[in-house]
């Protein structure tokens, strides 16, 4: 098992949920957390514990973002007029690596970050290798011609456990995706319940 796969499954087990809806998640087999005391960790969480867990789950879902990255995105959502929780989700979904994952160009959000890093993705015809690059409405995201036959790309398009959301228009025959609009919480096909309201409470108190 690769180091990255191991880390990904550890997040699932720590949360006690299959946060990406993957069929091989260890949570499908055992519901307790990682480590030798994992089976004893099922106590009732405090309000702080619930808020922290909601933050860690959302942060982990997007490829285990660093606290600094996540806090910066949250700060932006707070400064924009509107519902902070909805805006936080929208900003996270506008990350280029998130769009590449949502479009089913690659099988996992971790693979999406690497895929972008290695220069396999074009935005409006220009190569972009920054996973945190923020796409705008109408942007066309495309897999580079010589990357379209990579095994990882061909495998991802066939994955049955994920649907492409309606805020993207995807053509898998051309490996292109158009970002139609910024989504809200209800638009995003999370396999588990995300609670941005608890993330707001967490940062309000810490």
């Amino acid at each position: 098992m690769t180091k990255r796969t191991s880390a990904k499954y550890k997040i699932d087990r720590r949360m006690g949920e299959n946060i990406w809806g993957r069929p091989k998640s260890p949570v499908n087999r055992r519901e307790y957390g990682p480590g030798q005391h994992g089976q004893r960790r099922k106590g009732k969480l405090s309000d702080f514990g619930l808020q922290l867990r909601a933050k860690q789950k959302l942060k982990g879902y997007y490829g285990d973002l660093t606290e600094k990255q996540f806090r910066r995105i949250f700060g932006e959502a707070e400064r924009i007029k509107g519902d902070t929780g909805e805006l936080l989700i929208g900003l996270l979904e506008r990350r280029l690596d998130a769009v590449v994952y949502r479009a089913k160009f690659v099988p996992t959000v971790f693979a999406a970050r690497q895929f972008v890093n290695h220069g396999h993705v074009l935005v409006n015809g220009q190569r972009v290798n920054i996973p945190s690059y923020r796409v705008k409405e109408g942007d066309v995201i495309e897999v580079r011609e010589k990357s379209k036959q990579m095994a990882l790309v061909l495998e991802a398009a066939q994955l049955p456990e994920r649907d492409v959301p309606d805020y993207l228009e995807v053509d898998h025959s051309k490996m292109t995706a158009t970002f139609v609009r910024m989504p809200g919480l209800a638009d995003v096909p999370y396999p588990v319940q995300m609670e941005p309201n608890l993330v707001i409470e967490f940062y309000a108190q810490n």
Side-chain angles (χ1 to χ4, degrees):
M1 187 184 289
T2 65
K3 193 173 172 185
R4 173 53 75 196
T5 304
S6 165
K8 181 171 63 183
Y9 288 156
K10 204 173 203 175
I11 294 168
D12 267 2
R13 287 185 60 205
R14 196 167 62 221
M15 296 300 148
E17 292 180 87
N18 181 359
I19 68 172
W20 294 281
R22 300 278 289 163
K24 290 182 181 176
S25 171
V27 177
N28 298 342
R29 297 190 300 276
R30 52 191 173 192
E31 293 189 348
Y32 51 86
Q36 68 183 98
H37 303 298
Q39 294 187 57
R40 285 189 279 167
R41 288 189 190 155
K42 273 287 189 184
K44 192 170 184 292
L45 288 173
S46 63
D47 285 351
F48 171 79
L50 289 168
Q51 292 160 4
L52 177 64
R53 180 191 162 105
K55 176 181 75 83
Q56 298 296 71
K57 185 163 62 169
L58 192 58
K59 189 161 73 80
Y61 181 86
Y62 287 93
D64 215 11
L65 298 175
T66 66
E67 179 60 27
K68 189 176 176 183
Q69 287 173 312
F70 191 75
R71 182 74 208 233
R72 189 171 64 239
I73 296 166
F74 178 82
E76 284 186 66
E78 242 185 348
R79 286 192 295 274
I80 303 169
K81 191 175 179 182
D83 183 311
T84 301
E86 294 287 329
L87 289 162
L88 174 62
I89 298 298
L91 290 174
L92 287 165
E93 285 292 308
R94 282 177 59 194
R95 286 178 57 95
L96 181 57
D97 55 359
V99 174
V100 166
Y101 172 63
R102 287 276 174 243
K104 290 177 75 170
F105 292 160
V106 292
T108 70
V109 73
F110 295 98
R113 184 178 298 171
Q114 261 192 330
F115 197 68
V116 174
N117 263 332
H118 293 170
H120 297 298
V121 177
L122 307 176
V123 179
N124 301 327
Q126 301 295 314
R127 187 159 69 160
V128 177
N129 61 1
I130 303 163
S132 61
Y133 176 89
R134 192 166 290 162
V135 301
K136 303 183 297 296
E137 290 182 6
D139 278 357
V140 177
I141 297 88
E142 181 181 1
V143 176
R144 284 180 74 200
E145 194 60 46
K146 59 182 177 184
S147 309
K148 289 178 182 177
Q149 294 306 311
M150 289 173 68
L152 161 106
V153 174
L154 298 172
E155 172 207 339
Q158 306 304 318
L159 285 175
E161 71 261 21
R162 284 200 291 128
D163 294 321
V164 174
D166 65 6
Y167 47 90
L168 294 178
E169 284 177 0
V170 177
D171 183 342
H172 279 121
S173 67
K174 295 178 181 171
M175 283 292 162
T176 62
T178 303
F179 191 78
V180 179
R181 60 182 173 83
M182 185 160 113
L185 177 61
D187 301 313
V188 182
Y190 293 119
V192 295
Q193 185 181 4
M194 293 297 181
E195 300 161 300
N197 56 311
L198 293 182
V199 178
I200 296 168
E201 289 174 21
F202 175 86
Y203 283 126
Q205 294 169 27
N206 297 281

